[in-house]
Amino acid sequence: MQVDHPSRFIQSLQLLRLLGIIFWHWATPFWRFRDANQGTLEQRSANYRHNRAQRAILPSYTLKWLAIAASMLMLLQIYSGMLTQAMEGTPAYFYAALFCVSTGIVFSFACVVIAILLACYLFFTHIKD
């Protein structure tokens, strides 16, 4: 009996895409905001008011990213400990270094997202239409 491998592959890709969309909606609020630079003056004003109304969700997303950043710091400590215990030149050393660098990059990205979320919240809170 033949197994249809291309359809399984396509189903796997569709599942990964769906999981990516779910993660995107869970981790970032930017899909909820409208572009306030396009359209007529009335449309831009309405989009800006909509964005100001959406600012209430920004602190919860900031807390999510703070938790992500804190978990990356904990992982970084674990991988650094693994790095000091592994002998240089071994595969364990290579993987520990790779995980350590990757975790540091994700931590840096989380810090940038936190800064953007806080700047957006402050902007929408203090700048009136």
Side-chain angles (χ1 to χ4, degrees):
M1 180 174 200
Q2 284 277 11
V3 177
D4 193 18
H5 291 294
S7 69
R8 282 189 179 179
F9 179 70
I10 291 171
Q11 287 175 348
S12 299
L13 287 178
Q14 289 172 342
L15 179 64
L16 283 174
R17 181 178 177 271
L18 179 63
L19 290 174
I21 290 171
I22 290 171
F23 178 76
W24 175 258
H25 285 192
W26 176 82
T28 63
F30 302 121
W31 58 277
R32 293 175 165 241
F33 291 87
R34 296 180 185 163
D35 186 6
N37 290 323
Q38 302 295 325
T40 64
L41 183 61
E42 292 84 16
Q43 290 171 335
R44 289 189 308 228
S45 181
N47 288 342
Y48 184 77
R49 283 192 304 273
H50 169 79
N51 292 344
R52 286 198 74 221
Q54 292 293 318
R55 78 180 184 270
I57 63 169
L58 292 175
S60 65
Y61 281 93
T62 304
L63 289 175
K64 287 179 189 180
W65 280 98
L66 282 170
I68 291 171
S71 64
M72 289 300 114
L73 274 180
M74 286 186 259
L75 278 175
L76 194 57
Q77 184 179 10
I78 292 169
Y79 292 143
S80 295
M82 291 171 54
L83 193 61
T84 57
Q85 292 176 355
M87 290 183 54
E88 195 170 334
T90 62
Y93 186 82
F94 172 75
Y95 289 123
L98 180 68
F99 291 149
C100 199
V101 169
S102 300
T103 304
I105 291 171
V106 174
F107 173 74
S108 300
F109 180 76
C111 290
V112 169
V113 172
I114 290 167
I116 290 170
L117 290 171
L118 288 175
C120 289
Y121 181 76
L122 291 173
F123 177 78
F124 286 129
T125 300
H126 296 293
I127 304 295
K128 304 294 182 212
D129 194 20

